[in-house]
């Protein structure tokens, strides 16, 4: 009964966050500073509602001030190797409400923080909501995630690993619905877009497989992993790449974006297109898996 109640609450929280960001606030591009500030307010207020101390990391880009929103949950044990960082970006490209990209990732971030606040993990976790992941800051030192990762490096903070939550909500059981950047991958991975993917570089392979193994141990949720060269399209396309550049192991958890979701970066990326039941099962399983790290 407890698991069913937890899952139901998780589903409601995920749906509420996605609808607030993608519907109530709407598009959140780098030009829409007021909307990004409203989103930061929502994230900070949500963290605080879980009795967590939230803070903003301000930085400037093209004459405007932007904010990362960060909180942490102190670990209940003494796990070696440093803190775990979990992040998601809250901005969108222009013209899209960004339900999957990336209100779904922010929703997952907030829910994982809620669950950790109620029952701390063994390891201390930093929860970070980033801005400016999308173009024109994309893949530059002005990404919010790079600003944050760089600050950790400057402080010489030990980071066990970073997980980027990048699009968690789109699933389909249709045959041929899953595409890949290289033809060879079609022979190795499923042709139905009904799984979640763990994607990182080769250096981050041990960390990626550790989290994947933990997820497999606690849940039957289908998960595939790929650690490969960033030269393969999509491997580096999120905030985890900022942590690579700062010397930290990192990977993204993703529904594979444009390799599956036909609404990617378009006006059709709305809350109604997402599968909240599968999202809630994934997030609840992740919460339990992270307790094994």
């Amino acid at each position: 009964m407890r698991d069913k109640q937890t899952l139901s609450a998780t589903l409601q929280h995920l749906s509420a966050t996605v609808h607030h960001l993608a519907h109530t606030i709407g598009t959140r591009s780098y030009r829409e500073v007021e909307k990004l500030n409203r989103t930061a307010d929502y994230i900070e207020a949500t963290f605080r509602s879980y009795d967590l101390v939230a803070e903003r990391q301000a930085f400037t880009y093209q004459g405007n001030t932007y904010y990362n929103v960060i909180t942490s949950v102190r670990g209940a044990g003494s796990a070696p190797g440093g803190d775990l960082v979990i992040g998601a970006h809250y901005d969108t490209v222009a013209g899209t409400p960004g339900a999957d990209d990336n209100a779904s990732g922010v929703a997952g971030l907030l829910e994982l923080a809620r669950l950790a606040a109620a029952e701390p993990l063994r390891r201390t976790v930093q929860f970070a909501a980033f801005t400016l992941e999308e173009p024109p800051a994309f893949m530059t030192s002005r990404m919010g995630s790079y600003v944050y990762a760089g600050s950790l490096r400057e402080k010489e903070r030990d980071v066990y690993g970073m997980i980027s939550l990048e699009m968690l909500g789109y699933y389909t059981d249709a045959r041929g619905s899953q595409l890949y950047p290289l033809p060879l991958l079609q022979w190795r991975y499923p042709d139905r877009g009904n799984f979640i993917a763990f994607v990182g570089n080769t250096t981050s392979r041990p960390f990626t497989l550790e989290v994947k193994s933990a997820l497999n141990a606690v849940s039957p949720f289908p998960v595939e992993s790929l650690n490969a060269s960033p030269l393969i399209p999509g491997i580096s396309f999120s905030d985890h790449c900022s942590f690579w550049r700062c010397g930290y192991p990192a990977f993204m958890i993703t529904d594979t974006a444009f390799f599956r979701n036909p609404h990617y970066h378009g006006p059709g990326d709305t809350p109604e297109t997402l599968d909240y039941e599968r999202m809630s099962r994934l997030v609840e399983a992740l919460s339990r898996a992270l307790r094994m790290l």
Side-chain angles (χ1 to χ4, degrees), residues 78-150:
S78 56
D83 296 351
L84 177 66
V85 177
I86 302 177
H89 73 90
Y90 63 85
D91 61 315
T92 72
V93 298
T96 176
D100 198 22
D101 187 15
N102 189 32
S104 67
V106 174
L109 178 79
L110 295 178
E111 183 63 4
L112 288 174
R114 182 185 75 86
L115 294 169
E119 187 178 351
L121 282 66
R122 190 167 65 101
R123 185 178 302 279
T124 294
V125 185
Q126 307 284 340
F127 293 96
F130 307 123
T131 190
L132 298 195
E133 187 269 354
E134 301 287 5
F138 180 63
M139 299 293 283
T140 74
S141 63
R142 302 320 298 160
M143 290 174 69
S145 56
Y146 187 85
V147 173
Y148 179 63

Side-chain angles (χ1 to χ4, degrees), residues 136-214:
F138 180 63
M139 299 293 283
T140 74
S141 63
R142 302 320 298 160
M143 290 174 69
S145 56
Y146 187 85
V147 173
Y148 179 63
S151 70
L152 295 178
R153 182 178 59 184
E154 289 177 5
K155 296 173 184 176
E156 299 183 345
R157 292 289 296 271
D158 290 331
V159 174
Y160 188 74
M162 185 270 182
I163 299 173
S164 173
L165 304 178
E166 177 62 65
M167 303 180 65
L168 306 181
Y170 192 86
Y171 303 89
T172 172
D173 294 311
R175 295 185 62 179
S177 57
Q178 183 65 54
L179 304 178
Y180 296 96
L182 299 176
L184 180 63
L185 297 176
Q186 297 176 356
W187 297 98
R188 178 181 173 187
Y189 293 99
D191 72 340
R192 302 171 191 259
N194 58 7
F195 61 90
I196 199 71
F198 288 9
V199 179
N201 60 2
T202 54
T203 303
S204 303
R205 179 180 172 83
F207 175 56
T208 306
L209 293 182
E210 180 184 15
V211 181
K212 179 183 179 182
S213 177

